[in-house]
Amino acid sequence: MPAVELLRGGCVVCRSRGPALCAPCLRRTEPPPSTRMRDLGRVHALFAYEGHGARIVQALKYRDGRRLVAPLADELARRWAEVAPAAPGLAVTWVPTSGGRRRDRGFDQSELLARALARRLGASARPLLRRRPGPAQTGLDRAGREAAAGYLATARTGGPVLLLDDVCTTGATLRAASAALAGAGSPPIGHLVLARTP
Ligand SMILES: [Zn+2]
């Protein structure tokens, strides 16, 4: 971690003094769209991917995102508790970021979020998915990348699985990852994302 990241404090989004994600920035996000998605049912999101919600996700991915993991995991845990009954033996898994992006950033934001969320839920974090090797996706827009995404489930769990991703646009990524888990005998009991496109 670069030293400057350790020294820099305050809200990652608006730079105000205080916590890594200030309450006003979180309040300024728009509520997520609540439509059901084909083959997925309801996808639970913290906020819409626009305005402040988009700025939070961009900060998580491209700036000093590690500092956002704890406050966002707090919010994800709260959201999950609102929508799902406690599930003994729950495993949290995540849609893995591509190797290149992970190398550029030095971390996979979805993995960090999943591990922090699992701790808050008293669940385990399990890397159950990997990306299927495929053509390079640079040059495609987000919807194109989602449509081209393919995932393999590398393991199964005996218990319930919660699938986490950062942004849901068309749902194609979640659908591909969810289908891979189902094919391995571990269909997710729920899908949780930070942000959904309106
Ligand atoms: Zn702020």
Side-chain angles (χ1 to χ4, degrees), residues 11-16 19-26 28 52:
C11 176
V12 171
V13 179
C14 72
R15 299 294 177 203
S16 67
L21 180 57
C22 73
C25 275
L26 202 50
R28 277 182 211 124
H52 264 69

Side-chain angles (χ1 to χ4, degrees), residues 25-48:
C25 275
L26 202 50
R27 271 200 307 273
R28 277 182 211 124
T29 60
E30 298 294 325
S34 67
T35 50
R36 299 180 72 83
M37 303 197 78
R38 179 172 57 82
D39 300 333
L40 289 171
R42 203 166 283 284
V43 173
H44 304 286
L46 290 185
F47 38 69

Side-chain angles (χ1 to χ4, degrees), residues 29-149:
T29 60
E30 298 294 325
S34 67
T35 50
R36 299 180 72 83
M37 303 197 78
R38 179 172 57 82
D39 300 333
L40 289 171
R42 203 166 283 284
V43 173
H44 304 286
L46 290 185
F47 38 69
Y49 189 65
E50 62 176 338
H52 264 69
R55 291 176 64 187
I56 291 170
V57 173
Q58 294 300 319
L60 174 71
K61 285 185 167 184
Y62 301 112
R63 298 212 299 272
D64 38 1
R66 283 186 184 86
R67 296 180 54 234
L68 283 176
V69 169
L72 288 174
D74 288 343
E75 296 301 317
L76 287 167
R78 233 190 312 271
R79 182 90 179 98
W80 182 247
E82 283 170 7
V83 298
L90 181 70
V92 179
T93 197
W94 63 93
V95 177
T97 304
S98 75
R101 281 172 180 270
R102 187 187 168 121
R103 275 192 297 278
D104 290 346
R105 273 179 221 146
F107 65 96
D108 179 338
Q109 74 279 353
S110 294
E111 175 177 359
L112 297 185
L113 276 177
R115 293 190 181 283
L117 173 62
R119 280 194 295 276
R120 284 155 177 76
L121 297 177
S124 60
R126 298 280 309 273
L128 298 178
L129 290 164
R130 64 182 171 85
R131 295 175 75 94
R132 188 156 41 205
Q137 294 185 24
T138 44
L140 295 176
D141 59 11
R142 178 183 292 278
R145 288 198 305 273
E146 285 199 349

